[in-house]
Amino acid sequence: MRLTTKGRFAVTAMIDLALRQDQGPVTLAGISQRQRISLSYLEQLFGKLRRHEIVESVRGPGGGYNLARRAQEVTVADIIIAVDEPLDATQCGGKGSCEGTKQNDGHCMTHELWSTLNQKMVEYLDSVSLQDLVDQQRSREGASTVLHDRRSEPAAPEAPRLAPKGPNSVFNIASS
């Protein structure tokens, strides 16, 4: 499988959108800045996502993008397929014109292996919803941003200082 930056960026941008959509339409400029993805590239990706009815655009001041469906109803496979990302590990792209040693059916000897891998990848990506990724991101953010604020706790009593009383102690010299 060759998952290029197109698919990775599309999934990342969709997570960003889903995390923020309850605050109103999300701008591509905001996603671009937060995720460090080119604005023009995001415009291309979101055009494809809109045509596949995964996102909807809101025009005018305060406009941007919202999810067209609930995050639970959008899978990673939906996103990747919408941006034309090929999910194919075969050499022939499923066409049967594999390079290398061919069998009687025109496929290479490992065609079934890679074809089965394609099927398993699509099944897995179809089992992961955008909401799963949002929940995962929120739990990661929560775990990394929870800091223990010691300022709100009562101060612990200081332990009394004990001065050593040996014959060679600097404390004994100072007190004499």
Side-chain angles (χ1 to χ4, degrees):
M1 179 186 95
R2 215 180 118 228
L3 184 60
T4 63
T5 54
K6 186 189 296 186
R8 293 176 197 275
F9 284 171
V11 172
T12 299
M14 288 297 294
I15 295 169
D16 189 294
L17 171 69
L19 281 166
R20 291 167 177 79
Q21 78 161 3
D22 58 341
Q23 302 161 9
V26 179
T27 66
L28 293 184
I31 296 172
S32 173
Q33 184 178 16
R34 285 186 296 274
Q35 303 304 326
R36 293 181 173 83
I37 302 171
S38 159
L39 181 58
S40 61
Y41 199 62
L42 283 174
E43 289 169 346
Q44 292 173 27
L45 294 176
F46 273 71
K48 293 177 180 188
L49 292 166
R50 188 176 48 76
R51 285 190 289 281
H52 280 83
E53 299 178 347
I54 295 175
V55 298
E56 57 189 11
S57 62
V58 177
R59 294 179 175 253
Y65 284 88
N66 289 320
L67 292 176
R69 299 182 270 180
R70 294 181 15 224
Q72 301 91 298
E73 298 170 359
V74 177
T75 68
V76 174
D78 293 335
I79 297 167
I80 292 174
I81 291 167
V83 297
D84 298 329
E85 182 68 22
L87 291 174
D88 191 7
T90 62
Q91 290 180 334
C92 65
K95 295 181 178 81
S97 57
C98 303
E99 294 179 15
T101 308
K102 295 182 182 179
Q103 296 178 327
N104 294 337
D105 61 1
H107 295 296
C108 66
M109 293 189 298
T110 57
H111 184 83
E112 289 304 313
L113 170 70
W114 304 127
S115 188
T116 303
L117 176 61
N118 290 343
Q119 179 185 353
K120 298 295 181 187
M121 286 187 306
V122 171
E123 286 173 12
Y124 173 69
L125 295 176
D126 206 35
S127 74
V128 179
S129 74
L130 181 57
Q131 187 64 53
D132 295 333
L133 298 176
V134 167
D135 293 343
Q136 180 184 38
Q137 186 62 33
R138 284 189 175 137
S139 71
R140 288 178 63 205
E141 286 175 356
S144 64
T145 59
V146 175
L147 300 174
H148 191 63
D149 188 357
R150 298 183 187 274
R151 294 176 295 173
S152 61
E153 294 178 358
E158 258 187 54
R161 292 186 174 194
L162 300 174
K165 298 190 180 192
N168 294 330
S169 170
V170 293
F171 293 104
N172 283 343
I173 296 171
S175 62
S176 47

